[in-house]
Amino acid sequence: MQAFADQARQEGKRIAVVPTMGYLHEGHLSLIAEARRRADIVVVTIFVNPTQFGPTEDFARYPRDFERDRQRAERAGADALFHPEAEEMYPAGHSTVVDAGPVGGVLEGTIRPTHFRGVTTVVAKLFNITKPHCAIFGQKDAQQAFLIRRMARDLNFGVEIVVAPIVREADGLALSSRNVYLSADERTRATALVRALELAAERVRAGERSAETLRTIMTARLRADAPTAVDYIAFIDPETFGEIGTLRPPAVLIALAVRFGTTRLIDNMRIEIADTHG
Ligand code: AMP
């Protein structure tokens, strides 16, 4: 892969990488299409990275179908697939990691304490292996996108980080490889996440600025669909990823994680906030 990337760079070609864990859906394909628009060579990586799963998480049962992924990625415009084995990525004695810093410890990091260290470490490795000029990530994983941008800047990777919008089903549910875990009934109820976000957006447009009030409204909307648990509803400053109590211009990111049965779903929405003093 490194030799392939070196060759492309010598020929003056621009490389874009799309890191994924496979089981490709339309969300992934939109990232590949974005990469296609931005580069001469599109590399898609497919690697279910063991170090970003906690000991009680779904690593073993995470859905995998390489043959289907290969066809989908090719059709979407990938020039190369990088699909390593875990032993190649983490040979015996591997011990160096990339610490994701304090933002790696909030929200998803509270519930998954080693998750983001696994993500930043594997993405750093994938950047060194695929030698891209730019890399495309999805806004679906907003905290991940923030941390990758931060890492690329802090560690001078020289890789342009592009974050593409969330692709949703017709009823609004954000596409995710994990949606296959949902029963038919849970699948119907899972639209609660986007409905709660839309309700909050409506209230913000109507002038509501209190995170606490919005959280109460969203919790009530979620409860109508009887989730197993609401892990968090967070109001985030998109610039710093810090939590905020009072919404201020120019924008807020509302992020939430909700469980239906054993399936954990995340979603988020950026809401622009009008400057009432301007
Ligand atoms: P994953 O295979 O789940 O690790 O995701 C690989 C990349 O696809 C990440 O950058 C995700 O944020 C992105 N992604 C996942 N779901 C969606 C979606 N519904 N819309 C846009 N991007 C997505």
Side-chain angles (χ1 to χ4, degrees):
M1 185 67 239
Q2 285 172 319
F4 175 86
D6 283 339
Q7 177 73 33
R9 278 181 169 260
Q10 268 160 31
E11 291 167 9
K13 290 183 172 147
R14 191 174 157 81
I15 304 171
V17 69
V18 181
T20 82
M21 298 206 297
Y23 214 67
L24 302 181
H25 52 62
E26 292 296 326
H28 298 116
L29 302 186
S30 77
L31 306 186
I32 299 173
E34 184 60 36
R36 189 70 279 166
R37 287 191 283 275
R38 290 172 176 270
D40 305 303
I41 301 285
V42 173
V43 180
V44 175
T45 73
I46 297 178
F47 180 56
V48 184
N49 173 36
T51 68
Q52 71 190 69
F53 288 79
T56 62
E57 292 178 8
D58 57 344
F59 174 70
R61 68 169 189 139
Y62 194 85
R64 295 163 169 89
D65 188 340
F66 179 69
E67 203 36 51
R68 192 178 72 148
D69 286 347
R70 194 178 60 74
Q71 289 172 18
R72 287 194 172 191
E74 268 180 24
R75 231 177 292 133
D79 298 300
L81 292 180
F82 180 64
H83 179 51
E85 296 296 330
E87 298 73 39
E88 280 180 273
M89 289 293 272
Y90 301 109
H94 77 89
S95 58
T96 309
V97 297
V98 178
D99 188 311
V103 175
V106 303
L107 304 190
E108 288 298 292
T110 318
I111 290 133
R112 312 178 73 189
T114 58
H115 173 66
F116 286 115
R117 184 182 66 197
V119 169
T120 44
T121 301
V122 81
V123 171
K125 287 167 66 67
L126 292 171
F127 283 177
N128 287 331
I129 293 165
T130 65
K131 309 189 181 192
H133 297 83
C134 78
I136 325 290
F137 294 86
Q139 178 61 22
K140 164 82 192 326
D141 300 279
Q143 191 174 1
Q144 167 176 286
F146 179 91
L147 288 168
I148 300 289
R149 229 191 247 294
R150 190 47 80 79
M151 175 186 80
R153 185 197 74 177
D154 289 351
L155 300 184
N156 308 88
F157 270 96
V159 177
E160 181 196 354
I161 306 300
V162 176
V163 181
I166 303 177
V167 176
R168 299 178 179 279
E169 300 279 7
D171 65 2
L173 178 69
L175 295 191
S176 165
S177 306
R178 288 191 167 98
N179 291 349
V180 296
Y181 299 152
L182 297 166
S183 69
D185 176 54
E186 288 166 350
R187 168 66 189 80
T188 309
R189 290 186 286 138
T191 56
L193 282 81
V194 67
R195 295 289 97 84
L197 288 166
E198 285 168 344
L199 184 55
E202 226 171 80
R203 295 302 172 96
V204 172
R205 281 194 291 271
E208 184 56 63
R209 295 291 180 266
S210 158
E212 213 35 65
T213 304
L214 291 164
R215 185 180 283 111
T216 305
I217 293 167
M218 290 178 73
T219 304
R221 177 61 192 82
L222 289 167
R223 295 248 180 272
D225 280 303
T228 308
V230 177
D231 283 348
Y232 62 78
I233 300 171
F235 297 80
I236 303 291
D237 176 347
E239 292 306 310
T240 62
F241 227 82
E243 287 215 46
I244 49 181
T246 304
L247 279 54
R248 290 185 209 294
V252 63
L253 180 76
I254 309 185
L256 74 173
V258 177
R259 276 180 273 170
F260 283 94
T262 54
T263 308
R264 207 164 159 275
L265 300 176
I266 59 170
D267 201 346
N268 68 84
M269 195 176 277
R270 180 187 159 101
I271 303 167
E272 306 307 315
I273 296 172
D275 190 346
T276 45
H277 305 291

